[in-house]
Amino acid sequence: VRIHETQGTPGEWWGSRLAVAHGYRRIGALGAGLIRVAVSSAHARGCTRFLAHVQSANAAMFQALHWTSLDETSLHGRPHHLMQADLAQYPPMHAPEHGLVTLLRRAA
Ligand SMILES: CC(C)(COP(=O)(O)OP(=O)(O)OC[C@H]1O[C@@H](n2cnc3c(N)ncnc32)[C@H](O)[C@@H]1OP(=O)(O)O)[C@@H](O)C(=O)NCCC(=O)NCCS
């Protein structure tokens, strides 16, 4: 995942390039963890509005992670939602280089 602040618009940050390798998807909240590190580290650096263009296929996942859809659009020939994170759910993370620990889901 990548994050950047919009040039000329202090406080507005964007996320992009979120991806988890095929064999590691839906096994231990790695994608959710990457989103957390991205948004919370931007929050610690002065972010007041965090946005992303989310592929429509993933919009439900982001909604469950406290993001709101602001608009629907087409990018690179695919449907996307412009979405905004609820920063209240992503407290500032001041040392993102430490990362997060996630636990592998195991069948009960
Ligand atoms: C999207 C992606 C990063 C998710 O990573 P992941 O590690 O599988 O996601 P997580 O395991 O953290 O999932 C978090 C929650 O969202 C759910 N979820 C995951 N993908 C979902 C989807 N496409 N639609 C709905 N829910 C989804 C998971 O089941 C999980 O819910 P739960 O905790 O209730 O079980 C991964 O599928 C990926 O790399 N996809 C290809 C690239 C891509 O689409 N990038 C995003 C562009 S917007």
Side-chain angles (χ1 to χ4, degrees), residues 18-20 24-27 29-32 53-55 57-58 60-61 105:
L18 172 69
V20 169
Y24 295 88
R25 291 179 190 166
R26 292 189 153 191
I27 60 163
L30 288 175
H53 283 116
V54 173
Q55 288 179 27
N58 296 320
M61 170 185 169
R105 266 179 223 143

Side-chain angles (χ1 to χ4, degrees), residues 13-47:
W13 287 69
W14 286 79
S16 60
R17 307 283 180 95
L18 172 69
V20 169
H22 269 290
Y24 295 88
R25 291 179 190 166
R26 292 189 153 191
I27 60 163
L30 288 175
L34 287 172
I35 292 167
R36 176 156 298 284
V37 172
V39 180
S40 289
S41 60
H43 200 176
R45 294 169 72 177
C47 170

Side-chain angles (χ1 to χ4, degrees), residues 11-88:
E12 182 183 284
W13 287 69
W14 286 79
S16 60
R17 307 283 180 95
L18 172 69
V20 169
H22 269 290
Y24 295 88
R25 291 179 190 166
R26 292 189 153 191
I27 60 163
L30 288 175
L34 287 172
I35 292 167
R36 176 156 298 284
V37 172
V39 180
S40 289
S41 60
H43 200 176
R45 294 169 72 177
C47 170
T48 52
R49 184 168 151 88
F50 194 100
L51 301 166
H53 283 116
V54 173
Q55 288 179 27
S56 296
N58 296 320
M61 170 185 169
F62 278 76
Q63 243 153 22
L65 295 171
H66 312 287
W67 290 61
T68 304
S69 177
L70 304 177
D71 196 10
E72 287 188 60
T73 176
S74 178
L75 282 181
H76 320 295
R78 287 187 180 181
H80 282 73
H81 284 253
L82 170 63
M83 298 190 79
Q84 179 172 357
D86 177 0
L87 287 177

